[in-house]
Amino acid sequence: MNYQQLFQMQKGLDSHIESNHGLEEEDLFDRKILALLVELGELANETRCFKFWSLKPSSPQETVLEEFVDGIHFILSLGIECGFYGEKDFDVSVKKTVSVNDQFLSVYEAIGKFRTSRSLTDYKELMEVYLQLGEILGFNSSHIEKAYVDKNEVNFKRQAEGY
């Protein structure tokens, strides 16, 4: 994946949003953390992986991918917030024995750890466990990158329309 391009696109979107909403001087870190947690919950809801009481299947892959990419937006934005936008390599090897549920819980744990430390090491771990979740859900880097670019355009359009 071309992380430099994704970081640049996210930086442009973040700047646009902050300028339009008068947030240039605001510390948005915790709000972005909360937004990421909410997006992760929305993603889990679309996969229905935890709904042991229900027979209803997961949402279509396109819907799950769109929710997954919403999380990528906030992870990139958090990296920019902490000055980590020069990073370009993340390890996405997946342990095949990990269940979707376990991976979701690992992402939640990584978010909490990163929130406390704000360290590059914990940021990389967050990005890696999230990308591993994507792989478990059936997405490869080209799926993710294309969906990110598409959603970034949608996000700019939404801002222009007063979203």
Side-chain angles (χ1 to χ4, degrees):
M1 232 176 337
N2 185 345
Y3 295 106
Q4 293 301 320
Q5 177 190 3
L6 298 182
F7 274 115
Q8 283 304 105
M9 291 177 71
Q10 188 63 46
K11 199 171 184 181
L13 180 61
D14 286 354
S15 294
H16 181 77
I17 291 169
E18 290 170 18
S19 174
N20 281 356
H21 295 274
L23 299 170
E24 297 93 345
E25 303 303 316
E26 296 271 337
D27 179 359
L28 299 174
F29 185 84
D30 279 339
R31 288 161 84 176
K32 290 177 183 182
I33 288 285
L34 181 56
L36 176 57
L37 290 166
V38 169
E39 292 298 339
L40 185 59
E42 290 177 4
L43 175 61
N45 201 45
E46 293 298 338
T47 70
R48 303 182 60 80
C49 64
F50 64 94
K51 294 188 175 189
F52 57 87
W53 60 88
S54 176
L55 298 175
K56 187 176 175 186
S58 171
S59 294
Q61 277 294 91
E62 310 85 58
T63 303
V64 175
L65 178 58
E66 186 174 325
E67 289 298 335
F68 179 81
V69 168
D70 286 344
I72 293 286
H73 275 86
F74 285 106
I75 293 171
L76 290 169
S77 187
L78 285 161
I80 292 164
E81 188 98 6
C82 292
F84 303 149
Y85 50 86
E87 292 306 309
K88 53 188 172 206
D89 294 314
F90 299 95
D91 178 18
V92 293
S93 59
V94 176
K95 301 172 192 90
K96 295 297 179 192
T97 58
V98 174
S99 73
V100 176
N101 286 324
D102 286 342
Q103 196 64 29
F104 268 105
L105 293 171
S106 292
V107 175
Y108 275 110
E109 290 168 3
I111 294 168
K113 189 174 176 185
F114 175 63
R115 178 180 182 243
T116 302
S117 74
R118 297 188 190 201
S119 74
L120 177 58
T121 299
D122 290 339
Y123 178 75
K124 284 184 174 184
E125 181 183 334
L126 169 57
M127 179 68 90
E128 290 165 5
V129 297
Y130 195 76
L131 291 172
Q132 289 167 351
L133 174 62
E135 191 171 305
I136 290 169
L137 293 172
F139 308 129
N140 64 34
S141 59
S142 62
H143 291 131
I144 295 167
E145 196 165 352
K146 181 183 181 330
Y148 176 88
V149 170
D150 293 346
K151 187 65 183 266
N152 193 275
E153 289 176 20
V154 168
N155 287 339
F156 266 108
K157 185 177 179 193
R158 285 178 174 172
Q159 288 299 309
E161 296 170 350
Y163 178 76

